[in-house]
Amino acid sequence: MKPAILTDTTKCTGCSECAIACQRVNRLERDIPRRWDFGDGLSAENWCSVVDAADNTFVRKQCRHCLDPACVDACPVGAMHKTAAGPVLCDTSKCIGCRYCMMACPFGIPRYEWSNVVPYVRKCVLCYDRIKAGGQPACTEACPAKATIFGDRDELLAEAHRRIRRNPGKYLDRVWGESEVGGTSVLYISGIDLSFLTYGEHFGKEPLPQTTTLAMESVPFAFLGMGAAMGGLYWIIERRNRLQAEKAAGEAKGQREPEK
Ligand code: SF4
Ligand code: SF4
Ligand code: SF4
């Protein structure tokens, strides 16, 4: 089973029971997200938020647990890691607080502990301990409207497409998370465009680590190319200076030669 969540925003009433359950079960403190934390209600202590979007639609926001997560690829110390079972976790004993994962995440999910003297990055863990024990995430269990449900990713994808097929007027013909950035474990169906959950529309279906790995692999070659170019430039300048010096020396010698 590939653990996943399907959130159907057409069913969500905005009651925030999911966010309340998340805080309780994960023993998170109540805090006020910082002004610079995107205004979406997420913070190091709020791993789940409910965004009041357009047209009276509420959208539950949490880590998408990408199948090929960019945050994991960006983390230089292996603190962000993907478990064999699927959830993407952050090991605070390894985290050095560099925030590379925050910059890499296409959904702006990991948040920094701004008020801690030794801050780490934190985010939703897909209730890893609960699902390992055969249970389900606290948020899906708490939702009274069944707007957010837990299950196997393939089965939830089939269910999402079934709902869209049965109610084409109610839903846009798209399952968010099915394929963008290589696919995610948290899926959405909705009557409104959910592109605002992603940083821009420029992310395609390729997993981002493939892009970042290509960029990182190019760095040594870029340095070699730059080195070769700088070496060539140095040779040209050096040769020009040497020729100018020889010419000046020749002219000075000519001026000093006594007339015969
Ligand atoms: S949504 Fe962001 S933080 Fe979550 S797994 Fe994907 S890249 Fe990592
Ligand atoms: S899966 Fe668990 S940690 Fe993630 S938002 Fe839901 S309750 Fe919170
Ligand atoms: S508990 Fe369910 S209905 Fe309430 S805000 Fe969360 S997803 Fe929406």
Side-chain angles (χ1 to χ4, degrees):
M1 175 194 172
K2 287 176 271 176
I5 287 177
L6 170 63
T7 293
D8 182 341
T9 71
T10 68
K11 290 177 178 283
C12 179
T13 60
C15 67
S16 289
E17 289 296 332
C18 49
I20 294 165
C22 177
Q23 282 207 308
R24 189 186 63 248
V25 165
N26 292 295
R27 295 191 187 86
L28 302 171
E29 304 283 330
R30 284 220 163 265
D31 77 341
I32 299 168
R34 307 299 162 117
R35 258 181 302 119
W36 51 85
D37 263 347
F38 308 107
D40 59 5
L42 290 184
S43 74
E45 297 289 336
N46 293 331
W47 299 350
C48 167
S49 68
V50 182
V51 178
D52 188 352
D55 296 333
N56 228 8
T57 301
F58 299 97
V59 183
R60 192 164 96 71
K61 198 169 176 185
Q62 64 176 110
C63 172
R64 303 281 284 271
H65 296 277
C66 305
L67 302 188
D68 202 347
C71 59
V72 170
D73 206 51
C75 179
V77 292
M80 262 315 164
H81 62 284
K82 187 164 177 72
T83 58
V88 177
L89 309 181
C90 183
D91 182 346
T92 48
S93 70
K94 290 185 182 167
C95 178
I96 54 172
C98 67
R99 289 176 274 169
Y100 284 2
C101 55
M102 291 170 66
M103 287 182 267
C105 174
F107 304 108
I109 297 297
R111 300 297 157 98
Y112 200 54
E113 293 179 310
W114 295 104
S115 47
N116 275 10
V117 183
V118 186
Y120 302 118
V121 166
R122 304 181 78 197
K123 66 167 196 70
C124 154
V125 293
L126 201 58
C127 286
Y128 183 50
D129 290 340
R130 289 169 67 98
I131 63 175
K132 249 193 328 187
Q136 65 167 310
C139 51
T140 53
E141 190 177 69
C143 178
K146 298 272 172 277
T148 187
I149 55 174
F150 176 72
D152 173 66
R153 186 173 186 271
D154 292 338
E155 286 172 17
L156 290 181
L157 266 176
E159 172 63 18
H161 283 293
R162 203 175 304 128
R163 289 187 196 182
I164 295 171
R165 248 192 338 269
R166 283 188 188 150
N167 264 302
K170 188 175 178 185
Y171 298 102
L172 296 185
D173 188 14
R174 177 170 174 183
V175 180
W176 277 267
E178 181 170 17
S179 56
E180 67 256 41
V181 298
T184 66
S185 305
V186 174
L187 308 163
Y188 291 89
I189 49 174
S190 178
I192 64 162
D193 185 5
L194 298 181
S195 300
F196 68 88
L197 291 177
T198 315
Y199 279 156
E201 275 289 271
H202 55 284
F203 294 112
K205 295 183 178 177
E206 288 295 304
L208 287 185
Q210 290 186 8
T211 318
T212 48
T213 303
L214 266 179
M216 296 306 279
E217 281 174 350
S218 305
V219 168
F221 299 107
F223 273 112
L224 281 177
M226 182 80 87
M230 296 304 282
L233 199 60
Y234 173 78
W235 183 84
I236 292 167
I237 293 170
E238 220 277 328
R239 182 170 177 274
R240 196 182 59 191
N241 288 345
R242 185 163 39 81
L243 289 177
Q244 274 177 351
E246 283 173 7
K247 190 176 166 209
E251 284 170 0
K253 190 177 170 205
Q255 280 169 10
R256 281 200 308 276
E257 288 277 318
E259 286 189 15
K260 297 194 175 156

